[in-house]
């Protein structure tokens, strides 16, 4: 494996882009030899689904596209970022929230915590943001 691998895709902010983002991540993980069927890969796909759904549903027409970035460094740390151009950052609801909707970030935070990872947000130059998840990647690399 190279010291650092990156992949990125930009998709329209439309509901059909959520499964496209998930499929893209599945393909990249397979290309990198990071296992398609394991629990870690399932966690990454669920995280991408939640973040892509947020980028589609919560940008209210202010972000015509969103971008999914994947980075894997030589220390086997996987970073997943979803960028949109909407200025509002995600709301951090309590982990025990019992609402019918709006729990995407709760799910993402829980998945990251269970995997020993972290969640953080960075601003973009155009006034938007990237929601990042950093996970230790313990799946053997081919």
């Amino acid at each position: 494996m190279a010291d650092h691998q990156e992949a990125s895709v930009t998709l329209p902010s439309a509901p059909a882009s959520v499964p496209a983002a998930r499929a893209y991540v599945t393909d990249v993980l397979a290309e990198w030899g990071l296992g398609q069927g394991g629990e870690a890969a399932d966690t990454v796909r669920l995280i991408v689904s939640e973040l892509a759904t947020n980028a589609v549903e919560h940008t209210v027409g202010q972000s015509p596209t969103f971008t999914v970035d994947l980075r894997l460094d030589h220390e086997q740390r996987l970073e997943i970022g979803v960028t949109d151009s909407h200025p509002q950052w995600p709301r951090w609801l309590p982990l025990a929230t019992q609402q019918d909707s709006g729990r995407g970030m709760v799910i993402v935070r829980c998945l990251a915590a269970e995997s020993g990872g972290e969640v953080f947000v960075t601003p973009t130059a155009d006034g938007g943001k990237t929601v990042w998840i950093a996970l230790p990647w313990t799946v053997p690399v081919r």
Side-chain angles (χ1 to χ4, degrees):
M1 182 181 82
D3 279 353
H4 186 86
Q5 296 189 62
E6 293 187 17
S8 180
V9 65
T10 298
L11 300 164
S13 290
S17 293
V18 175
R22 193 172 45 247
Y24 175 78
V25 168
T26 298
D27 292 345
V28 169
L29 293 179
E31 180 183 315
W32 289 351
L34 299 178
Q36 294 184 53
E39 185 177 325
D42 290 342
T43 296
V44 170
R45 283 190 289 272
L46 181 53
I47 286 170
V48 168
S49 289
E50 292 296 335
L51 295 179
T53 298
N54 283 353
V56 170
E57 290 185 359
H58 300 295
T59 59
V60 193
Q62 290 187 338
S63 184
T65 62
F66 67 93
T67 301
V68 178
D69 293 296
L70 296 168
R71 300 177 188 162
L72 182 65
D73 69 20
H74 67 282
E75 295 174 3
Q76 293 183 310
R77 174 180 159 112
L78 179 67
E79 294 181 342
I80 308 145
V82 175
T83 303
D84 64 60
S85 56
H86 192 281
Q88 185 174 350
W89 287 25
R91 292 185 354 195
W92 301 103
L93 299 174
L95 291 177
T97 298
Q98 299 296 320
Q99 295 175 300
D100 290 337
S101 65
R103 293 181 300 201
M105 288 308 297
V106 172
I107 292 168
V108 168
R109 286 174 33 211
C110 287
L111 289 170
E114 287 174 3
S115 300
E118 61 181 315
V119 180
F120 55 99
V121 183
T122 58
T124 61
D126 69 355
K129 78 279 186 185
T130 303
V131 180
W132 290 99
I133 310 300
L135 302 172
W137 194 264
T138 57
V139 174
V141 178
R142 289 189 282 199

